[in-house]
Amino acid sequence: MSEYYKKFLKDSEQVAFDTFHREKINNTIEKYNIAVRSGKRQYENLDLAKNRAAGIKHKVLENLDKYLYEFELNFENNGGRIIWAPSASDALKAIVAILKRNKAKLVVKSKSMITEELELNKVLENESIETLETDLGEFIVQVANEKPYHIVTPAMHKSKEEVVELFSEKFGIDKSSTPEQISAFVREKLRDKFINADVGITGVNFLIAETGSLVLTENEGNGVLTSSIPKIHIAISGIEKIIPTLRDLDLFLPLLAVHGTGQNITAYNSIISGPKQNDETDGPEELYLVLLDNRRTEILKHKELRRSLSCIRCGACLNACPVYKNVGGYTYNSTYTGPIGAIITPHLRGMNEFGHLSFASTLCGKCTEVCPVNINLHELLLINRQELVKFGIVSKKERQAQKWTYRVLKKRKRMEIANATLKNRAINLLFKKTWGPRRTLPVFAEKSFNKIWEEKNKEKNKR
Ligand code: SF4
């Protein structure tokens, strides 16, 4: 059992029974559910939109090399520079080199999960480069010295009172401050930073192959400022973020907005096609795009798991997942959490260390149902589990337990061999630990249904 697995079991046990945590998460997710229900009403045929989006993503993943090549040509024609990063350390080296070459002292960042994947802030801190998150939720978790809790709502786990308490302690704001006052305070604080930043770092929501453009979608306008005020803009994207044409945004932007936050469309949508041109007043003088592989091509090689690369990071599967809602975001101990995180993390960070996440699911299928790009998440979780068994990563005890259960369940005669006491003992021996201390194992009845039925029929025949 890996250290990560042990920690997962310990943390999930603790968080699942923290009623305050549960209340906060359920409240936020309930508000989200109401908004999403209303957002979906803009569609006459949502299933058709989802099928089309899934089809486009499928086409892209089947021809990723071709689309990446097309994107690269167009992006560089627009004046941008691409940095291909096979691994996280390649990406970090390249980013630090740009910052050092330009003697950067202050970096502003807009919300991006890929920079979390790279643990970029820690690296920049070690280089003595001040890095400031400019999305409100990200800013809150940065001030709290924490990581994002959720891929769309980074500070989902914090109540309004907790945020006020935190800001009062760190910045001395009044404890009676309202959310509006807190937002105004942060906006004021960030304004100077935007103006004085040497470099802006953002993630990317979509890469358009046809035009070589980056697409950023966000609600606070901080992404627009991060990508346009500093002289240098570094965007970081996974290689899977490609869509073929500009027209495809028509499909993907509303799908992402509705499933992410319930909005018809996100407030700020930027299409960035190269650095500032001679006849333009705004924009960075230099634009870099770090295209990160970091084991994505390993996932791409896998015929079925490849579908997980269609993810547009809307977070809907997290909000739908009964396990996520109980154990919370931090318990996964990974950048990507919930059902999609449970699928890709073992491949991005190692099956031995993170394979257990594939079992953090009831396989109820709700995640698959809500996914805007029709990823068959619960089936992919099963494929991960099969891989774990195939490569012998599942413990010997677990394999033996499953093998015996399979053999016994396969034949009615075998099921009837032992009496209830013996069966209860065997179940206790095999499953007590995995079942956990808070649940009672099911108890075998003295007589099985089969036995009762047999006896009833015998009695009937006697009469
Ligand atoms: S897997 Fe689907 S539902 Fe989950 S975050 Fe990605 S796009 Fe959204």
Side-chain angles (χ1 to χ4, degrees):
M1 194 188 279
S2 76
E3 288 308 308
Y4 289 102
Y5 188 12
K6 282 185 202 155
K7 187 162 166 30
F8 179 86
L9 290 178
K10 194 166 155 259
D11 292 352
S12 51
E13 162 76 16
Q14 204 188 339
V15 181
F17 294 91
D18 176 344
T19 46
F20 183 44
H21 173 267
R22 185 185 294 232
E23 199 185 306
K24 285 183 285 183
I25 302 311
N26 285 345
N27 269 342
T28 316
I29 292 182
E30 194 39 44
K31 282 184 200 145
Y32 162 87
N33 287 339
I34 295 168
V36 171
R37 266 200 297 276
S38 124
K40 282 181 179 171
R41 284 194 208 116
Q42 72 175 308
Y43 283 95
E44 254 178 49
N45 191 341
L46 178 61
D47 283 341
L48 178 65
K50 285 167 67 167
N51 285 339
R52 284 177 56 198
I56 291 172
K57 277 301 208 179
H58 174 75
K59 188 172 78 178
V60 166
L61 292 172
E62 294 298 311
N63 302 283
L64 192 57
D65 50 344
K66 176 181 152 281
Y67 283 112
L68 281 170
Y69 181 59
E70 183 186 349
F71 175 82
E72 181 185 31
L73 275 181
N74 292 326
F75 183 75
E76 297 206 326
N77 275 343
N78 294 339
R81 292 247 341 258
I82 290 205
I83 295 155
W84 294 93
S87 68
S89 66
D90 294 316
L92 290 167
K93 260 188 234 154
I95 296 164
V96 170
I98 299 171
L99 297 179
K100 284 197 164 168
R101 203 163 58 233
N102 290 282
K103 300 188 176 50
K105 292 268 175 292
L106 173 63
V107 167
V108 282
K109 268 183 75 211
S110 78
K111 188 183 165 307
S112 123
M113 291 315 288
I114 203 157
T115 58
E116 295 296 329
E117 182 183 333
L118 297 174
E119 302 201 40
L120 181 64
N121 287 13
K122 208 160 75 186
V123 173
L124 298 189
E125 196 183 307
N126 290 341
E127 297 290 337
S128 307
I129 297 169
E130 186 188 348
T131 311
L132 202 78
E133 296 291 347
T134 62
D135 168 271
L136 181 59
E138 288 279 349
F139 182 76
I140 293 169
V141 290
Q142 187 182 33
V143 171
N145 204 13
E146 292 171 5
K147 290 185 170 182
Y149 179 92
H150 183 281
I151 58 177
V152 174
T153 325
M156 182 193 250
H157 60 306
K158 292 212 179 293
S159 67
K160 188 185 76 190
E161 292 73 21
E162 285 172 325
V163 175
V164 172
E165 189 63 43
L166 173 72
F167 278 39
S168 153
E169 187 195 308
K170 300 278 179 181
F171 307 116
I173 68 158
D174 196 300
K175 287 202 177 179
S176 60
S177 301
T178 61
E180 290 75 19
Q181 286 167 327
I182 291 178
S183 305
F185 168 80
V186 175
R187 194 182 306 131
E188 200 52 46
K189 201 168 173 47
L190 293 179
R191 203 172 299 264
D192 276 351
K193 300 286 183 184
F194 278 123
I195 294 166
N196 294 315
D198 304 295
V199 175
I201 296 184
T202 69
V204 170
N205 292 95
F206 301 102
L207 301 168
I208 307 174
E210 176 192 45
T211 57
S213 312
L214 317 175
V215 181
L216 292 182
T217 169
E218 37 111 17
N219 272 315
E220 297 171 17
N222 62 307
V224 178
L225 298 176
T226 304
S227 59
S228 59
I229 298 184
K231 280 189 178 157
I232 299 168
H233 174 198
I234 304 175
I236 309 167
S237 171
I239 51 173
E240 76 282 11
K241 292 276 173 105
I242 293 267
I243 53 171
T245 67
L246 190 62
R247 270 193 75 171
D248 296 325
L249 280 184
D250 187 29
L251 180 64
F252 281 99
L253 283 179
L255 269 181
L256 177 54
V258 166
H259 291 83
T261 55
Q263 292 164 283
N264 285 358
I265 189 92
T266 311
Y268 296 92
N269 297 290
S270 312
I271 301 172
I272 301 167
S273 302
K276 183 168 80 170
Q277 306 298 308
N278 291 337
D279 57 345
E280 290 175 344
T281 49
D282 296 317
E285 287 164 16
E286 293 172 36
L287 171 65
Y288 297 90
L289 172 67
V290 179
L291 267 175
L292 182 70
D293 181 339
N294 210 21
R295 298 170 89 164
R296 284 164 173 77
T297 40
E298 291 303 311
I299 302 180
L300 191 69
K301 277 185 204 161
H302 199 293
K303 212 167 152 265
E304 279 102 10
L305 286 168
R306 173 181 308 169
R307 279 183 77 173
S308 62
L309 295 174
S310 303
C311 175
I312 55 172
R313 308 274 187 260
C314 71
C317 59
L318 281 64
N319 300 335
C321 177
V323 173
Y324 182 90
K325 283 193 266 191
N326 276 288
V327 305
Y330 288 146
T331 306
Y332 290 78
N333 208 353
S334 66
T335 308
Y336 307 107
T337 56
I340 186 63
I343 294 165
I344 61 174
T345 308
H347 298 279
L348 297 179
R349 297 186 60 191
M351 273 285 183
N352 275 317
E353 292 79 6
F354 287 92
H356 61 276
L357 292 184
S358 314
F359 293 89
S361 165
T362 60
L363 302 180
C364 65
K366 188 76 184 161
C367 46
T368 301
E369 191 185 308
V370 297
C371 179
V373 283
N374 286 345
I375 302 174
N376 50 342
L377 291 144
H378 69 295
E379 288 169 3
L380 299 186
L381 282 165
L382 272 176
I383 291 173
N384 266 8
R385 294 183 191 185
Q386 283 163 8
E387 300 249 305
L388 285 160
V389 175
K390 199 160 84 194
F391 295 116
I393 298 169
V394 169
S395 76
K396 205 171 156 196
K397 206 173 157 199
E398 167 89 25
R399 269 182 291 152
Q400 270 172 348
Q402 296 295 350
K403 198 168 136 191
W404 280 105
T405 313
Y406 171 75
R407 288 193 61 167
V408 171
L409 291 180
K410 219 175 153 201
K411 285 230 157 75
R412 162 59 59 187
K413 261 192 188 164
R414 286 194 194 123
M415 283 175 72
E416 298 297 341
I417 283 176
N419 61 25
T421 321
L422 270 177
K423 284 178 192 166
N424 285 327
R425 271 202 204 138
I427 288 285
N428 245 296
L429 193 74
L430 294 173
F431 297 112
K432 194 161 189 345
K433 208 169 168 199
T434 29
W435 206 248
R438 306 218 191 215
R439 291 187 296 176
T440 325
L441 276 166
V443 179
F444 280 95
E446 275 308 314
K447 279 185 191 172
S448 69
F449 175 76
N450 199 45
K451 205 90 195 144
I452 297 171
W453 189 255
E454 228 175 62
E455 287 174 4
K456 272 205 160 201
N457 275 340
K458 263 187 203 164
E459 259 176 50
K460 217 163 100 187
N461 292 339
K462 269 189 213 164
R463 274 190 243 135

